[in-house]
Structure formats: structure tokens, C-alpha cells
């Protein structure tokens, strides 16, 4: 075994261990550490510290940067293991995932191979019907993409500062200004558009900058003040512990909250620079932490696909099964560290000059992108006709959504759409759970001489109450404004019938289960529903309120596709009525609706459920596109029922 570099910092290796331990604990479901995801921020600060220290030293000694040599080291260190894990994850997915999933996640592998998956995830996060990120085995590559993008931009910033005015002060000023600007925009966007603040590398640059500034602090200040070094290390560890123990994924993160783990890491790095025996540096240098720190990169690469695939194979992982996954992660990490990561990083031939590392790196990256792209195309070819039909059913939007008539989260002014040219009008009012009824309602309306006008907005219930939405990570203020204007417009339009539907309160509670989101009290919901209905009723309008569809435990298109891929029956995905149908809440809802003059309650649950079971594959059709939205081809088949049970409420 080669001796460690004289610049080696055991405390930094220990910090890496703390960082990866937090991330793995969080992803493996250790509820005692709900903020373990902040370990990524520790990695960012460490990277900023080490890279800035290395680059500024080279600039001060040589007056320039050998960028090719710098990127060659990065490529040897990071690329081989990352691409190997991507290839292994794709191979395992060929067995575990349905062809449609393989095609989708292969695109993730393609962006991950090119180190730009963070940009793909920004777009993904704004897609209302995107697959749950928890099922994406490559999502954790976002942080590696952010780091690689930092490695591209940071040397240029430091060289520019040195060129403008040689000296340490100019570099410190450049890092400080860029960090402040990055943090200010990040803090603002965290409350406005969190995905941008979370995934976009320029808005995470302030964390790297914090590490960079720490690397330029004079170590002698703490070397002569051991008590201050101890205070720094204790405070740093306390801040990281506080983040791990109290943060949650529903918190407005990164923003101001990210200052906690970032500041904690900076304090520990400063204390560690004072000497290996100062403060808690000796603790961080303990052999177990050193071993985990050495494996931290491989652990980070392997842990996520292991736990994701395990969760797909076993519905509810027990503690023993999670520990087994941890054992598998450690074993895979040790193998890739000893046989891929370390040998390639220290290969003498590759280290001889930059070109020997960079040319293979470019070829490997291109191969990874091409292989992932090819795998996506190949996976689709493996679909049989039934699986293709399922994929097409899940992808087909409802009639209103297909015409861009479901307004986005930021809209506050309604923009109704008109379908048909009948003299009489039916208004469709609600969220995406009203939208999926647009397909049969529009057709039934046309047959009976009605045009349908839609007032639809994503995640915006017609019931008058304010509530928290995950996509915005805050209360949905835009919905409150939009709803009031929509009610006024519907009343002014004087439709023959107002058709309303919305996500059931019990369904939204299931979606939020375990996430610590603010709950809506039953009384608030009841009052809000009644208020909307009364306003429409007092205006002399007739109302048909359609009961929400059953809520399923998982995305049904995925479940059915996997079942068929494994030669099992789609009925494997059926749900018990007690879990899926929300009968008790529906009874309360019915009572509220029928107590309002001119309002009727339309219950189509018998098309999905018998007395004990709710089915997901009905009359040879996929009933749901995900957990709780109707698949459009199945919705089309409900047109006779909608005509019979909804249009009849007009009272010709």
C-alpha cells in the first residue's frame, strides 16, 4: 500500500464519511436522520475547499494553471467508477424494470454519463405526470453533475481573478462576490421555484465558494489558539448533527437552511487545518471513519440503485432487508474501489501525461452516452403489443390537457377553453381530477347538443380552502386567486350544468404520508367544499359533483407493465377497496353535496370496484395512467356512463 500524500488530511476523509453516512441513512429510510440528504452539501464544501486550495497553490507557484493536467486527474478519479455503476445499473434494470421504464431511465443514464442530469431533472420536476423520482435509479448523479460543472467553471474564475490583479486578495474577492450572488439567487428561488435552486449548478456555487474561502484562511490563526480550534470543531459537528436530526425533505431547501451544514463543514475544515490533534480532528481520523471515507465515492454511486431496485422487488423492506442492502452496497463499493477506482486513478501510464487520461475519458463518456441511448431504443423494441398499448394509454393526455387547457401552477387568471359548438353549455371546473373526466364529458356533451367549457388548473381544488402543494413546497396562493376568479366567470357564463371533480382529501393525505407536510383539517375541507357549492347554487346553477377515483399504492402503468414483463397477471396490481376507495370520506362528501340545493353527487366507483377489490385493468384496458389519474382510453369507455349519470342532471 502506498503511503499517504504529505498533504493528506485525515479529518477530511472523516468528513467524507459523515457526509456519505448521512446520505445513505436518509435514502435507506433511517427516520432518525431525516436531514441526512444534507450530506451532499458537505461534499460540495469539501470539493470547493480542496479544488480551490490546489488551484490557488498552482497559480501562486507557477503563475498559471495546467488545465489539461487538472481535468485528467478529475477524469481518472471520477469517470471510470461512475460509468461502471451506470452500466451495471442498466444491466440490472433489464431484468427488474419493464421495457417502458428501461427506456425512460436509460435517458437518465445518458444524461448522467454526460454529467448534465441535473438539467434534465429540472425539466422533469415541473412535469405534473412525470414518474416519481424515487424510482429513478440515476437521480443521485445530479450532485456529481453539479460538481463536474463546477470543475469546468471554477478554474476559469480563479485564473481571471489572478490575471486582473495578481494576489490572494483578488481571488478571495472573486470567490466572495460569486458566492454571495449565487447564495442570494438560490435563497430567493428556493421559495419561488425550488427545483432550480436545488439542481442548477450556478445556484449551488456558493457552497463550493464557502469551501474555497475556507481553504484560503490562514491556518496559523487557529494553530496558536487550540481552544478556539476546539470550539470551531464542536460547533461544526453540532451544526451538521442539527441538520441531520431536524431537517426534512419538505423544508425549503437549499436556501437559508443549507447555511447550517455548510457552516458546520467550514468550521470543521478550519479546525482540521490547525492540526490533526486539534479539536475533534482526532475523532474524524478514527480508522472506521477513514475506511468509510475512502469508500465514500463508491458508496455514493452504489447505494441508490441498490435501494431503489430492492424497493421495486419487495413492496415493504424490513429492517433486516435494508441491512442486507447496506451489506451489498458496502461489498459493491469495496470491489469497485479496489478494482476500478483506485487502480485507474493511480495508473502510471495514465498519469504520465494528460492526453493519456483525457482521450480515453472522452471515449468512455461518448461510449456511455451512446450505450444508454441504444439501451433506450432497444428496450422499446422488447415491448410486446400489450405492453405498447399500456405505454400508449399512460402517455395519452385527456382531451382538455391535450389542448393545453389545464393551467400551470403559476397562473392566477383563468383561461377557459371551449369544446364543441352546441348552443347550451356545460362548465367543467376543477384540478387534474376534473381534467381526466374531460374526455368522456366532451363526447357525451356533443352527442346531446352541449358545448363544454373548461376551468381547469393543476392541483387546484374547486373547494375553497388554502393548502400546501409539494411541487411549490409552500401554500398554493395562486390557486386561491385563480379559484375565486373562475367561480365568478362560471356564474357569469350561466351554464346549464357545472361539473366538478377534485382530488379527494384522503388521497392527498396518502400522497403526503410521512413527509411532514401541513395537513388540512376535515372541518376546513368541509367548509371549503360547501362554500363553493353554495356560491354556484345561489346563482341558480345546477351542479354535478363527480366522486374522485380510487387511489392506488403505486403507479399502475408501471405495476402492470412489470407484471406482464415478468409473465404475471395484471390483477397482481389490484387494490383492496378498503385501502383505495375512501368510502368513509366519500359518504361525508355525498352528504355535503346533496345538502346544497341544485347539487347532485355522481358516484362511478362501481366501474372500478366491487365490494372488496378495486381493479386496475378493466375490460382489457389500463384504468389508471399513474396512481390516481384515469388512463384516457379507459376514460373514453366511460362516455355512456357519463352521459347517463352526468348529462341527465341538466334536467331537460
Amino acid at each position: 500500500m502506498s503511503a499517504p500524500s504529505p498533504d493528506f488530511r485525515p479529518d477530511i476523509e472523516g468528513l467524507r464519511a459523515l457526509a456519505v453516512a448521512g446520505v445513505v441513512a436518509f435514502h435507506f429510510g433511517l427516520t432518525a436522520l431525516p436531514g441526512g440528504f444534507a450530506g451532499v452539501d458537505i461534499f460540495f464544501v469539501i470539493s470547493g475547499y480542496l479544488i480551490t486550495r490546489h488551484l490557488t497553490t498552482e497559480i501562486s507557484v507557477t503563475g498559471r494553471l495546467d488545465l489539461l493536467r487538472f481535468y485528467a486527474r478529475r477524469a481518472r478519479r471520477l469517470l471510470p467508477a461512475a460509468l461502471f455503476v451506470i452500466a451495471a445499473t442498466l444491466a440490472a434494470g433489464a431484468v427488474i424494470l419493464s421495457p417502458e421504464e428501461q427506456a425512460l431511465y436509460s435517458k437518465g443514464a445518458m444524461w448522467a454519463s454526460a454529467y448534465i442530469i441535473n438539467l434534465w431533472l429540472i425539466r422533469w420536476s415541473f412535469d405534473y405526470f412525470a414518474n416519481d423520482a424515487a424510482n429513478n435509479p440515476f437521480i443521485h448523479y445530479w450532485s456529481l453533475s453539479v460538481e463536474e460543472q463546477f470543475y469546468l467553471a471554477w478554474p476559469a474564475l480563479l485564473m481571471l481573478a489572478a490575471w486582473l490583479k495578481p494576489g490572494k486578495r483578488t481571488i478571495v474577492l472573486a470567490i466572495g462576490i460569486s458566492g454571495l450572488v449565487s447564495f442570494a439567487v438560490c435563497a430567493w428561488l428556493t421559495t419561488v421555484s425550488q427545483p432550480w435552486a436545488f439542481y442548477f449548478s450556478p445556484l449551488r456555487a456558493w457552497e463550493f465558494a464557502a469551501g474555497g474561502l475556507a481553504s484560503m484562511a490562514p491556518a496559523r490563526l487557529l494553530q496558536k489558539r487550540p481552544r478556539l480550534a476546539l470550539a470551531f470543531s464542536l460547533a461544526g459537528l453540532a451544526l451538521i448533527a442539527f441538520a441531520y436530526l431536524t431537517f426534512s425533505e419538505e423544508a425549503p431547501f437549499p436556501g437559508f437552511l443549507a447555511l447550517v451544514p455548510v457552516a458546520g463543514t467550514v468550521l470543521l475544515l478550519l479546525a482540521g487545518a490547525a492540526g490533526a490533534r486539534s479539536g475533534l480532528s482526532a475523532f474524524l481520523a478514527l480508522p472506521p471513519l477513514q475506511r468509510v471515507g475512502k469508500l465514500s465515492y463508491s458508496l455514493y454511486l452504489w447505494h441508490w440503485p441498490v435501494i431503489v431496485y430492492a424497493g421495486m422487488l419487495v413492496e415493504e423492506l424490513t429492517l433486516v432487508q435494508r441491512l442486507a442492502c447496506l451489506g451489498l452496497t458496502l461489498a459493491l463499493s469495496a470491489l469497485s474501489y479496489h478494482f476500478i477506482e483506485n487502480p485507474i486513478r493511480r495508473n502510471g501510464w495514465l498519469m504520465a501525461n494528460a492526453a493519456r487520461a483525457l482521450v480515453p475519458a472522452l471515449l468512455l463518456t461518448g461510449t456511455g452516452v451512446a450505450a444508454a441511448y441504444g439501451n433506450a431504443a432497444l428496450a422499446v423494441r422488447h415491448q410486446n403489443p400489450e405492453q405498447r398499448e399500456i405505454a400508449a394509454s399512460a402517455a395519452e393526455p385527456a382531451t382538455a390537457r391535450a389542448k393545453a387547457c389545464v393551467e400551470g401552477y403559476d397562473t392566477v387568471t383563468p383561461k377557459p377553453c371551449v369544446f364543441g359548438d352546441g348552443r347550451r353549455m356545460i362548465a367543467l371546473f376543477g384540478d387534474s381530477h376534473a381534467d381526466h373526466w374531460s374526455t368522456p364529458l366532451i363526447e357525451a356533451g356533443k352527442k346531446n347538443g352541449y358545448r363544454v367549457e373548461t376551468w381547469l388548473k393543476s392541483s387546484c381544488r374547486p373547494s375553497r380552502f388554502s393548502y400546501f402543494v409539494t411541487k411549490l413546497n409552500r401554500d398554493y396562493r395562486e390557486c386561491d386567486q385563480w379559484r375565486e376568479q373562475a367561480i365568478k366567470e362560471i356564474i357569469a357564463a350561466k351554464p346549464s350544468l357545472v361539473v366538478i371533480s377534485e382530488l379527494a382529501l384522503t388521497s392527498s393525505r396518502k400522497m403526503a404520508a410521512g413527509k411532514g407536510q401541513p395537513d388540512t383539517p376535515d372541518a376546513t375541507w368541509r367548509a371549503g367544499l360547501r362554500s363553493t357549492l353554495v356560491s354556484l347554487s345561489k346563482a341558480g346553477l345546477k351542479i354535478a359533483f363527480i366522486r374522485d377515483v380510487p387511489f392506488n399504492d403505486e403507479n399502475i402503468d408501471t405495476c402492470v407493465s412489470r407484471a406482464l414483463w415478468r409473465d404475471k397477471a395484471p390483477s397482481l396490481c389490484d387494490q383492496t377497496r378498503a385501502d383505495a376507495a375512501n368510502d368513509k370520506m366519500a359518504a361525508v362528501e355525498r352528504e355535503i353535496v346533496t345538502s346544497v340545493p341544485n347539487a347532485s353527487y355522481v358516484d362511478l366507483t362501481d366501474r372500478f370496484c366491487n365490494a372488496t377489490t378495486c381493479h386496475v385493468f378493466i375490460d382489457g384496458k389500463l384504468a389508471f395512467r399513474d396512481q390516481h389519474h384515469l388512463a384516457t382510453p379507459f376514460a373514453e369507455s366511460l362516455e355512456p356512463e357519463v352521459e347517463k349519470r352526468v348529462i341527465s342532471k341538466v334536467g331537460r
Side-chain angles (χ1 to χ4, degrees):
M1 181 182 291
S2 59
S5 164
D7 293 329
F8 175 72
R9 288 268 300 272
D11 62 302
I12 292 180
E13 202 80 312
L15 260 178
R16 287 193 178 110
L18 292 183
V20 78
V23 174
V24 172
F26 172 72
H27 285 152
F28 274 52
L30 182 61
T31 56
L33 292 178
F37 58 84
V40 170
D41 302 86
I42 298 175
F43 278 127
F44 286 167
V45 178
I46 292 173
S47 291
Y49 182 92
L50 293 175
I51 295 302
T52 304
R53 185 177 67 171
H54 170 79
L55 293 175
T56 53
T57 299
E58 186 174 346
I59 290 172
S60 65
V61 172
T62 67
R64 57 184 293 273
L65 284 177
D66 188 341
L67 291 179
L68 291 180
R69 187 162 163 263
F70 169 75
Y71 291 129
R73 281 198 304 270
R74 294 294 90 205
R76 293 199 313 270
R77 170 76 174 88
L78 302 174
L79 197 61
L83 291 176
F84 178 76
V85 173
I86 287 173
T89 304
L90 286 173
V95 178
I96 297 170
L97 303 171
S98 69
E100 184 70 15
E101 288 177 292
Q102 291 176 46
L104 173 64
Y105 296 136
S106 290
K107 294 176 184 176
M110 181 176 68
W111 300 121
S113 298
Y115 287 101
I116 51 175
I117 193 173
N118 59 319
L119 304 179
W120 185 59
L121 290 170
I122 291 173
R123 184 194 62 79
W124 180 320
S125 65
F126 287 105
D127 183 352
Y128 185 83
F129 287 106
N131 288 51
D132 189 343
N135 291 324
N136 183 341
F138 301 103
I139 193 173
H140 63 312
Y141 275 78
W142 77 267
S143 63
L144 303 181
S145 297
V146 168
E147 286 212 28
E148 287 298 316
Q149 290 157 25
F150 162 74
Y151 295 147
L152 288 175
W154 204 244
L157 174 68
L158 300 186
M159 279 299 295
L160 176 62
W163 176 76
L164 288 172
K165 187 176 181 181
K168 185 176 179 180
R169 288 185 179 181
T170 309
I171 293 177
V172 169
L173 186 63
I175 294 174
I177 291 174
S178 62
L180 283 173
V181 171
S182 171
F183 174 74
V185 180
C186 177
W188 170 65
L189 272 179
T190 296
T191 59
V192 175
S193 184
Q194 190 187 24
W196 279 97
F198 195 91
Y199 290 122
F200 194 43
S201 52
L203 304 186
R204 288 300 192 109
W206 68 272
E207 300 184 47
F208 296 94
L213 290 174
S215 74
M216 304 189 75
R220 63 180 180 276
L221 293 179
L222 289 180
Q223 288 171 348
K224 296 177 180 180
R225 297 172 176 81
R227 290 184 180 179
L228 184 59
L230 176 60
F232 271 32
S233 58
L234 288 172
L237 193 62
L239 287 171
I240 290 173
F242 178 79
Y244 279 10
L245 293 170
T246 65
F247 286 6
S248 72
E249 56 185 322
E250 285 70 47
F253 197 88
F256 286 98
L257 284 180
L259 285 170
V260 176
V262 168
T265 308
V266 166
L267 289 172
L268 283 168
L269 288 170
L270 291 173
R277 297 181 181 275
S278 296
L280 294 179
S281 296
F283 162 72
L284 294 174
L286 289 173
L289 289 178
Q290 294 298 294
R291 284 193 285 271
V292 172
K294 283 184 173 64
L295 292 177
S296 60
Y297 180 56
S298 288
L299 282 168
Y300 185 82
L301 291 174
W302 282 111
H303 83 283
W304 183 242
V306 167
I307 196 65
V308 165
Y309 282 160
M312 291 177 179
L313 294 171
V314 180
E315 189 171 335
E316 290 292 338
L317 291 168
T318 65
L319 176 60
V320 172
Q321 289 168 332
R322 290 179 187 276
L323 289 174
C325 289
L326 179 59
L328 177 59
T329 300
L330 287 167
L332 291 171
S333 301
L335 287 171
S336 63
Y337 175 78
H338 289 293
F339 293 103
I340 297 174
E341 183 183 337
N342 236 17
I344 293 177
R345 178 173 54 166
R346 295 177 177 174
N347 183 277
W349 187 84
L350 292 173
M351 293 171 67
N353 63 64
R356 290 186 182 182
L358 288 175
V359 171
L362 290 172
L363 291 173
L364 270 177
T365 299
T367 301
V369 171
Y373 181 84
N375 194 68
L378 192 61
V380 175
R381 288 191 178 185
H382 285 162
Q383 289 178 310
N384 60 36
E386 195 171 17
Q387 287 170 328
R388 287 194 183 95
E389 185 176 347
I390 289 169
S393 295
E396 184 178 346
T399 302
R401 185 171 293 276
K403 297 294 184 180
C405 293
V406 182
E407 295 166 48
Y409 288 92
D410 58 346
T411 305
V412 295
T413 303
K415 298 173 185 175
C417 291
V418 180
F419 296 87
D421 54 5
R423 296 182 61 185
R424 295 174 295 177
M425 188 259 280
I426 293 174
L428 178 61
F429 178 34
D431 54 14
S432 61
H433 283 235
D435 167 53
H436 63 201
W437 292 110
S438 68
T439 300
L441 180 65
I442 289 168
E443 287 305 310
K446 287 178 180 178
K447 287 184 179 180
N448 290 272
Y450 292 95
R451 70 182 187 276
V452 174
E453 293 194 23
T454 63
W455 281 263
L456 302 169
K457 180 174 171 64
S458 293
S459 298
C460 186
R461 290 185 177 92
S463 297
R464 277 175 164 145
F465 63 92
S466 298
Y467 51 90
F468 182 97
V469 290
T470 304
K471 287 283 184 182
L472 299 175
N473 207 33
R474 59 171 171 81
D475 285 345
Y476 198 0
R477 298 182 293 270
E478 294 86 346
C479 174
D480 296 335
Q481 297 177 54
W482 180 91
R483 182 195 301 119
E484 290 308 310
Q485 185 63 31
I487 290 173
K488 289 179 182 177
E489 291 184 9
I490 291 170
I491 290 173
K494 298 180 180 180
S496 301
L497 178 69
V498 182
V499 178
I500 297 177
S501 195
E502 64 182 17
L503 175 70
L505 186 62
T506 46
S507 295
S508 62
R509 285 173 176 168
K510 289 177 182 177
M511 293 166 67
K515 296 182 178 179
Q517 296 177 359
D519 192 14
T520 300
D522 286 4
T524 301
W525 162 72
R526 289 195 297 266
L529 174 58
R530 184 180 298 277
S531 175
T532 296
L533 295 174
V534 167
S535 290
L536 296 170
S537 177
K538 283 184 176 179
L541 302 181
K542 293 182 178 180
I543 306 157
F545 188 99
I546 303 179
R547 176 181 173 178
D548 195 17
V549 298
F551 186 90
N552 303 286
D553 291 337
E554 58 185 318
N555 287 337
I556 295 306
D557 59 322
T558 299
C559 182
V560 171
S561 293
R562 283 185 199 158
L564 293 173
W565 181 243
R566 299 169 190 169
D567 294 323
K568 295 180 181 179
S571 59
L572 181 73
C573 306
D574 288 348
Q575 311 282 304
T576 63
R577 178 165 183 144
D579 289 335
N582 305 317
D583 285 325
K584 289 183 179 179
M585 183 66 79
V588 176
E589 191 175 64
R590 179 191 294 272
E591 183 180 348
I592 294 170
V593 173
T594 55
S595 70
V596 176
N598 299 323
S600 302
Y601 194 71
V602 180
D603 190 347
L604 295 169
T605 308
D606 58 350
R607 288 293 285 116
F608 305 91
C609 312
N610 57 30
T612 60
T613 306
C614 291
H615 303 287
V616 299
F617 202 71
I618 303 169
D619 298 332
K621 293 181 181 291
L622 184 74
F624 300 91
R625 63 175 302 163
D626 50 25
Q627 282 185 285
H628 50 89
H629 292 97
L630 292 178
T632 297
F634 179 73
E636 289 173 352
S637 72
L638 297 176
E639 184 268 326
E641 294 289 340
V642 170
E643 181 178 13
K644 176 182 176 182
R645 303 196 203 184
V646 178
I647 302 293
S648 62
K649 305 301 180 185
V650 176
R652 292 189 284 265

